[in-house]
Amino acid sequence: MRIAFLTAPEGVEQIELADPWRAAVEAGHDPVLVSTKPGEVQAFDHLDKADTFVVEEVVGEVPAESFGGLVLPGGVANPDFLRMDQRAVTFVQAFFERGLPVAAICHAPWTLIEADVVRGRTLTSWPSLRTDIRNAGGTWVDEQVHIDDQGPNQLVTSRKPDDLKAFDEAFLAVLARQTV
């Protein structure tokens, strides 16, 4: 299954992109790096520049329906840039409208808030987003990973890089149910 990994051109937390990507490949999926601009994405290890990754598709040029799921890696800057790009927000909304699974870690729920898809949902995130999620009509929980299936799709969220193993396992389990 093709899985979109949506990032801004700069600011994605490398481990939150690379680890779920590796897990998706190992499970037989086809991860695709989607960004708001062609070229490369500059990843970060917290505040330090890390590796770059080649963009495979550009939002606005590839339809969400060409994917079976969406991963939103975190990093503080990444979701902040994404929520300011209407094409990225519309791309995220399309996954919810189609009932496709979405996974978001750390600060990534900022993009979900901008897409207005957290109302009535329960999710976790980096703790500083707690108030933002509540103000957007969601319920915030402090859990390693949370799977919410109260909306049109399953939403998998986690708090931080230390939660990646549980995050990867939960999202892969949700994807496996999609393909049955």
Side-chain angles (χ1 to χ4, degrees):
M1 172 185 309
R2 278 174 41 104
I3 303 168
F5 280 69
L6 179 61
T7 71
E10 187 170 31
V12 66
E13 185 69 31
Q14 181 160 320
I15 190 85
E16 294 174 3
L17 170 63
D19 195 79
W21 185 286
R22 176 202 45 78
V25 169
E26 289 176 0
H29 297 290
D30 179 22
V32 178
L33 185 58
V34 180
S35 189
T36 57
K37 294 180 182 175
E40 293 184 333
V41 166
Q42 175 64 62
F44 280 76
D45 180 11
H46 301 294
L47 299 175
D48 299 322
K49 283 188 177 182
D51 297 328
T52 58
F53 298 87
V54 176
V55 173
E56 298 170 85
E57 300 280 359
V58 177
V59 288
E61 297 176 11
V62 61
E65 57 265 14
S66 68
F67 299 99
L70 172 65
V71 175
L72 295 168
V76 177
N78 182 54
D80 198 42
F81 288 132
L82 288 176
R83 66 184 177 161
M84 297 300 295
D85 187 303
Q86 187 55 51
R87 295 169 308 146
V89 171
T90 300
F91 187 74
V92 170
Q93 289 168 330
F95 283 86
F96 285 83
E97 290 166 2
R98 288 170 176 73
L100 298 171
V102 174
I105 187 166
C106 202
H107 287 78
W110 268 339
T111 308
L112 300 176
I113 291 166
E114 188 65 31
D116 195 26
V117 295
V118 302
R119 188 175 326 284
R121 307 297 296 260
T122 300
L123 56 157
T124 192
S125 68
W126 186 254
S128 65
L129 276 67
R130 175 181 46 232
T131 301
D132 297 334
I133 289 167
R134 289 178 178 158
N135 287 343
T139 300
W140 185 85
V141 293
D142 184 12
E143 297 175 6
Q144 185 178 40
V145 65
H146 187 84
I147 301 172
D148 180 287
D149 58 6
Q150 297 304 307
N153 65 329
Q154 292 191 305
L155 174 61
V156 178
T157 52
S158 282
R159 303 170 299 189
K160 56 189 174 184
D162 289 345
D163 298 338
L164 277 166
K165 185 176 187 308
F167 178 74
D168 296 346
E169 290 172 358
F171 188 59
L172 291 175
V174 165
L175 287 175
R177 288 193 292 270
Q178 282 288 115
T179 59
V180 174

